[in-house]
Amino acid sequence: MKKIAYLLVVLAVAACQNEPKDYVTISGQITDKNSDSVVIRSRTYSKTIPVDENGSFSDTLKVETGTYNFYDGGESTSIFLKNGFDLVISLDTKMFDETVKYSGTGAEHSNFLAKKALLQEELLDLDALMAMDSISREEKFSSIENQLTEFYNSDQSIDTSIVNNSIKTIQPMLNSYRRYINEDIAMKRALPKGAASPVFTDYENFSGGTTSLTDLKGKYVYVDVWATWCGPCKAEIPSLKKVEKMYHDKNIAFVSLSIDDDRSHGGSWEQANKDWRKMVEEKELGGIQLFAPEGWKSDFVEAYKIRGIPRFILIDPEGNIVTPSAPRPSSDALIELFNEEQI
């Protein structure tokens, strides 16, 4: 009788072990962590996972199969989750997109999404696209479409929902780039080189008091319009710091203008200002750090027809426009522009 009972226990344990998990196991290691927690989220789901002092985290999640956003407090990436997966994540925040890697059960899907993000960033070089004539640009867009389609269909093991959604979004994504470039061309016609620049007046300065554009007359002014929630904006921070260091003794002021507003901070302007101040301090941001009083609706932002960020602007020592859409700090074209202006 005891043997039968023992056998039944063994069989029960084995049956439990063979049952598929109805949850995701997720763990990871973050180098130079941005926050004390990470967030896994979608439009209908959110789970915050604590990160310890060493950058380690782990938890279990019960999810609907699909692509989620993984946010570390500074940047984010896409991750594919399905109950039964056992994922291990590693990343270094100093090179977030380039270092995020997944291992374990189901890792191939998220690794595919990470490679997809890097490929899109490589192919969709906005500065290069804007420098082309219209015919060359359309040829380039056609080539990008072919390369992306080939990559999306390159691995038959990837979940079909990822592949189908990726292919479906190619044309909308390329069209958004077309619109941005056309708007940029129209903006440069409306705000030509040599025209008097729109101004900002008495914007709150992180270091204390207020600053106006006229306070900086006599210097070139490189304006970075950004927000704390903007991933591409934050990705430019390391490059901006390098450029600032290179030109610290030159006749140029570096102004970072935050357009954080109540809409992106829980309906609170006070919280928007607090979040801005916190990031300036934590990221040890240099230059002149200003807070636009009405966010997107600030006079300077509207005058420069800013619809997307980051946006970079270069103004000459007389207060005239050099370009309303300057190259990003990460672009070699910025140094070329500075050289042309003999800064």
Side-chain angles (χ1 to χ4, degrees), residues 133-292:
D133 60 61
S134 58
I135 295 175
S136 298
R137 189 182 303 120
E138 281 307 311
E139 290 175 350
K140 182 63 175 177
F141 277 133
S142 178
S143 173
I144 291 171
E145 180 181 357
N146 291 336
Q147 290 179 75
L148 289 176
T149 303
E150 181 179 355
F151 172 73
Y152 296 157
N153 288 312
S154 64
D155 190 339
Q156 298 302 310
S157 70
I158 302 306
D159 191 276
T160 54
S161 67
I162 297 176
V163 176
N164 292 340
N165 185 65
S166 297
I167 292 173
K168 185 173 70 173
T169 58
I170 291 177
Q171 278 304 323
M173 178 176 63
L174 295 182
N175 286 338
S176 72
Y177 273 79
R178 288 184 177 98
R179 284 194 300 272
Y180 182 89
I181 291 169
N182 289 335
E183 287 173 0
D184 185 82
I185 292 170
M187 176 192 59
K188 286 178 177 175
R189 288 175 182 157
L191 297 163
K193 182 174 182 177
S197 171
V199 298
F200 54 81
T201 303
D202 295 335
Y203 280 9
E204 179 182 348
N205 191 317
F206 176 82
S207 298
T210 61
T211 298
S212 301
L213 184 60
T214 52
D215 297 332
L216 305 174
K217 197 164 185 179
K219 290 186 174 184
Y220 280 91
V221 182
Y222 182 67
V223 184
D224 168 16
V225 183
W226 73 296
T228 59
W229 48 262
C230 170
C233 300
K234 290 181 286 188
E236 292 294 329
I237 289 174
S239 297
L240 180 57
K241 286 183 175 181
K242 289 178 183 177
V243 175
E244 287 174 347
K245 187 175 181 180
M246 288 172 60
Y247 285 84
H248 76 281
D249 59 348
K250 303 295 184 181
N251 189 39
I252 184 170
F254 292 89
V255 174
S256 292
L257 179 60
S258 164
I259 58 170
D260 284 279
D261 60 17
D262 57 336
R263 293 173 298 175
S264 51
H265 294 269
S268 169
W269 278 101
E270 182 181 0
Q271 188 60 50
N273 190 276
K274 285 181 179 179
D275 291 344
W276 163 66
R277 286 188 163 275
K278 180 181 178 182
M279 183 164 289
V280 171
E281 186 173 358
E282 289 183 348
K283 295 288 187 181
E284 298 179 339
L285 303 184
I288 300 170
Q289 297 291 328
L290 303 181
F291 187 81

Side-chain angles (χ1 to χ4, degrees), residues 21 34 44 61 147 302-303 306 315 324 328:
K21 294 189 301 182
N34 282 319
T44 58
L61 300 79
Q147 290 179 75
E302 290 195 335
I306 295 173
I315 301 166
R328 300 182 179 206

